[in-house]
Amino acid sequence: KQWYQRRVRGGGVTDLLLLKSESLSSLTEGDLRFRCDSDAASDISSVQGGGSASVPDDKPVTIEDVAPFLDTSSESSLSNIRSTASDKSSSTDKPWYAGVLNSQDFSQSHPSHAKFLESLDALSERKRAVLLDTTLSAGKKQEVLESLALASGARVEDLCIYFQFAPSSTVYGYTEHDLKPCGGTIPLTTLNIEEYCDATRSFCLDTGIRRQLDNFKSGFNSVFPLSSLRMFSPEEVRMLLCGEMTPNWTKQDILEYTEPKFGFTRESEGFLNLAEVLVEMSPGERKNFLQFATGCSSLPPGGLANLNPRLTVVKKEGEGDSSLPSVNTCVHYLKLPEYSSKELLRQRLLQSTQEKGFHLN
């Protein structure tokens, strides 16, 4: 292939486009530079007049940008390329953060409702098996359908549930919402369980939260363009926004990124005991310790190395084994008594991290 037979992005299309070689014979690759797929567009030299048409760095190369260089001898050539670009754009350009939430999200946001709908889904599968059973007569099918019950033994008709959604708390400002017109008068039965499940999930994951999500999107865009999240994975975005939700550190991390002062050095027995106790903590205990010492139960991306200000540990003078550690959370300042043993230090520190309020500050 010649240098100018390159992949060009046109709304999702990455097909090799046939270029008119006679138009490019006097140009170098530097004159006509196409960046592909994830790269931004560079300057494009114009074939006619020797001028240059500058494409902004944040704008991908489109079919229109390269039209002067395309072989358009056939009228259908360019339209076919545009059609291919449009088709591929709709299937490949959808970002990971677009679309409606799924059943896994529903299980996290509405665990009790999700569990009930799962039992209805199981009942629906049993109903479907009955309807597809060719060995049963119409009368027998009706008899079996009327006897279908949940795993608990209850029939859905006996639950007195209607086509309404009831939130788990009054904080939402309403007690029920009709899932369809006059939903308060339509009972849930074996015949309409699929419609009920679909309507409930649609309300909780789409229609019922659309206004809130639109406002969230608008607010987010005012701070950081949502489209720029394409360069990150969901896990990376979570890390950037929330930090390390499961704190992890080694003894070396603690010795290197924690500052012992005013009575403690990196060689002090009390400070070394603290490092060992922190390493031996469970994930839950680490989160409690961070909440106690810094006011936040997670670490920034990069862990202790990026905690600002760094955790400072000082000796609490004049205090014995009966006293507890205390903190100044704003400056990540841990005041630690000189305990007689590592085990006692562990007990006192865990006791402090489980306290609520500011009386230990």
Side-chain angles (χ1 to χ4, degrees):
K1 297 184 180 66
Q2 300 297 322
W3 66 263
Y4 49 79
Q5 292 178 300
R6 304 284 295 277
R7 284 181 179 269
V8 182
R9 183 167 68 176
V13 64
T14 54
D15 299 281
L16 287 174
L17 303 180
L18 298 178
L19 306 179
K20 293 192 294 184
S21 58
E22 64 273 15
S23 300
L24 302 174
S25 58
S26 61
L27 301 178
T28 66
E29 184 174 3
D31 295 324
L32 184 66
R33 203 178 285 131
F34 293 112
R35 294 185 184 178
C36 358
D37 297 333
S38 61
D39 294 332
S42 186
D43 289 344
I44 299 179
S45 295
S46 174
V47 173
Q48 300 176 351
S52 62
S54 179
V55 177
D57 287 343
D58 59 348
K59 178 184 176 184
V61 176
T62 65
I63 296 299
E64 282 65 29
D65 292 328
V66 299
F69 312 114
L70 299 178
D71 182 3
T72 56
S73 56
S74 171
E75 184 62 30
S76 62
S77 175
L78 192 57
S79 62
N80 288 339
I81 292 173
R82 283 197 178 96
S83 175
T84 305
S86 176
D87 293 342
K88 292 192 175 184
S89 175
S90 61
S91 62
T92 62
D93 267 15
K94 188 176 182 180
W96 60 263
Y97 50 80
V100 180
L101 302 174
N102 57 35
S103 297
Q104 183 178 359
D105 301 311
F106 184 63
S107 297
Q108 295 178 356
S109 60
H110 299 81
S112 58
H113 286 91
K115 186 175 181 180
F116 176 63
L117 292 191
E118 287 173 1
S119 66
L120 293 182
D121 289 336
L123 187 62
S124 174
E125 288 299 318
R126 292 165 56 197
K127 183 185 81 170
R128 176 180 172 83
V130 172
L131 294 175
L132 295 177
D133 192 342
T134 58
T135 64
L136 299 177
S137 64
K140 186 61 176 178
K141 286 182 180 180
Q142 185 63 31
E143 181 182 343
V144 175
L145 289 176
E146 292 177 353
S147 65
L148 288 178
L150 298 170
S152 62
R155 297 174 65 248
V156 292
E157 290 81 359
D158 299 332
L159 299 179
C160 298
I161 295 177
Y162 295 85
F163 269 65
Q164 292 181 317
F165 177 80
S168 57
S169 172
T170 57
V171 71
Y172 298 104
Y174 67 98
T175 55
E176 64 273 328
H177 174 82
D178 286 351
L179 297 175
K180 60 185 301 185
C182 302
T185 63
I186 305 174
L188 171 64
T189 67
T190 305
L191 299 178
N192 60 21
I193 52 179
E194 295 87 0
E195 182 184 8
Y196 176 83
C197 290
D198 290 343
T200 301
R201 291 188 174 107
S202 176
F203 173 74
C204 294
L205 301 177
D206 184 14
T207 59
I209 59 174
R210 186 174 298 165
R211 184 177 63 179
Q212 293 89 332
L213 288 182
D214 285 345
N215 287 332
F216 173 81
K217 178 181 178 181
S218 176
F220 195 99
N221 272 322
S222 68
V223 178
F224 185 84
L226 197 61
S227 60
S228 297
L229 293 181
R230 284 174 177 267
M231 69 182 74
F232 301 106
S233 68
E235 293 73 20
E236 289 170 332
V237 173
R238 184 182 299 113
M239 174 69 75
L240 290 172
L241 295 179
C242 305
E244 295 186 356
M245 300 303 292
T246 304
N248 189 30
W249 52 60
T250 64
K251 184 175 181 179
Q252 184 60 36
D253 292 334
I254 298 170
L255 295 178
E256 186 172 352
Y257 303 120
T258 301
E259 301 290 343
K261 293 182 178 179
F262 304 121
F264 282 135
T265 65
R266 298 190 189 281
E267 292 75 31
S268 298
E269 182 180 2
F271 180 73
L272 295 175
N273 285 341
L274 173 65
E276 293 178 5
V277 168
L278 293 177
V279 170
E280 294 166 0
M281 282 182 170
S282 66
E285 290 171 342
R286 293 184 181 194
K287 291 175 72 71
N288 288 340
F289 170 76
L290 286 175
Q291 183 70 49
F292 171 70
T294 70
C296 180
S297 61
S298 62
L299 286 171
L304 282 174
N306 288 335
L307 184 63
N308 185 31
R310 288 191 174 180
L311 181 64
T312 300
V313 183
V314 301
K315 183 185 291 187
K316 204 171 185 180
E317 298 289 356
E319 304 285 350
D321 286 347
S322 60
S323 62
L324 294 173
S326 59
V327 294
N328 292 114
T329 55
C330 296
V331 290
H332 306 164
Y333 204 80
L334 174 63
K335 292 170 280 190
L336 190 69
E338 184 78 71
Y339 293 109
S340 58
S341 68
K342 187 179 82 171
E343 186 56 37
L344 189 59
L345 186 155
R346 184 199 317 277
Q347 294 175 8
R348 295 289 185 262
L349 187 59
L350 293 179
Q351 181 182 350
S352 297
T353 59
Q354 294 168 1
E355 294 288 344
K356 305 298 181 183
F358 292 93
H359 57 278
L360 287 179
N361 192 328

